[in-house]
Amino acid sequence: QKAEHFMTFNADEQALVQWYNDKLESNRKRQKDKRDSAKLLIQQKAEHFMTFNANEHALAQRCNDKLESDRKQKQDKRDSAKLLIQQKAEHFMTFNADEHALAQRCNRERKQRQNKYDRDRAQAVSKASCWENMKNVELKSACKERGLKVAGRKADLVARLSADCAAMLAWHERCSK
């Protein structure tokens, strides 16, 4: 009996259950309507932004034309710069008779300077080996001529003169390049 009592509803309870079910159904329907109206609104806004009136279409066309003309101008500038560089390169690669003679003379002078440098270097090296055979008085005189310190033993004087000679050779190498 108790189980049957809990399983059966009286008229008030049935009305309450029916009212609750109706309320749930109306809430579901309202939420579905809200979703549908939101979808419709989004679709309308999208269609509005996708359609142009005549003025908007003309403005968009002018902007696209301007962009295209700017692109063409930039490409033309690049092409003309490439052509100019190519012409300058061709100009510098071709010599007339005077330029060819000048280039040959410059090469001869460079070779002469190199030969003079090589001779000076050979003399300096031979002089350095001669310092070992010089007397202290001669070594001090050579140091004095070069503005080096004169005091010290023979080994010190030879080392100073050798270092000075090496510095002079390095300076000649830098100048000849």
Side-chain angles (χ1 to χ4, degrees):
Q1 289 174 349
K2 286 186 177 185
E4 289 174 6
H5 171 71
F6 284 109
M7 298 184 95
T8 60
F9 294 111
N10 61 26
D12 293 333
E13 291 171 333
Q14 284 181 351
L16 182 63
V17 169
Q18 185 63 40
W19 174 83
Y20 184 73
N21 286 335
D22 291 342
K23 187 76 167 167
L24 284 175
E25 187 61 35
S26 70
N27 282 345
R28 281 191 207 116
K29 188 175 182 184
R30 216 175 313 123
Q31 286 176 350
K32 185 177 185 280
D33 290 343
K34 281 183 180 179
R35 280 194 302 270
D36 290 344
S37 65
K39 286 179 185 177
L40 181 64
L41 183 63
I42 290 170
Q43 185 178 4
Q44 289 171 347
K45 285 188 176 188
E47 288 173 0
H48 170 71
F49 284 112
M50 294 175 86
T51 58
F52 292 112
N53 62 27
N55 292 336
E56 291 169 330
H57 186 69
L59 178 63
Q61 188 62 40
R62 279 197 310 270
C63 288
N64 286 335
D65 292 343
K66 177 72 173 147
L67 286 172
E68 187 61 33
S69 75
D70 287 348
R71 277 192 214 113
K72 281 186 177 182
Q73 285 177 351
K74 286 180 182 177
Q75 185 62 40
D76 291 344
K77 283 181 182 179
R78 282 193 296 268
D79 291 344
S80 64
K82 286 179 184 176
L83 182 63
L84 183 64
I85 289 170
Q86 184 180 5
Q87 289 170 347
K88 285 187 176 187
E90 289 172 358
H91 170 73
F92 284 113
M93 292 175 85
T94 58
F95 290 113
N96 61 27
D98 295 335
E99 291 169 332
H100 188 66
L102 178 65
Q104 284 181 337
R105 192 176 81 229
C106 288
N107 283 334
R108 274 195 309 271
E109 289 173 0
R110 186 181 52 77
K111 284 179 184 177
Q112 288 171 353
R113 281 194 309 271
Q114 183 65 37
N115 289 339
K116 183 181 181 309
Y117 165 73
D118 291 341
R119 281 192 310 271
D120 290 346
R121 185 167 187 226
Q123 286 175 357
V125 169
S126 68
K127 199 178 234 186
S129 63
C130 291
W131 286 328
E132 297 284 335
N133 300 329
M134 294 175 120
K135 295 182 179 179
N136 275 358
V137 175
E138 294 169 333
L139 291 172
K140 288 181 181 183
S141 162
C143 285
K144 192 173 187 180
E145 286 175 11
R146 289 177 172 79
L148 300 173
K149 185 177 172 184
V150 182
R153 293 183 293 174
K154 182 175 182 173
D156 296 335
L157 297 174
V158 170
R160 274 189 220 121
L161 287 168
S162 296
D164 184 58
C165 186
M168 191 180 303
L169 286 174
W171 180 78
H172 278 294
E173 284 181 18
R174 284 194 308 267
C175 290
S176 66
K177 289 184 181 179

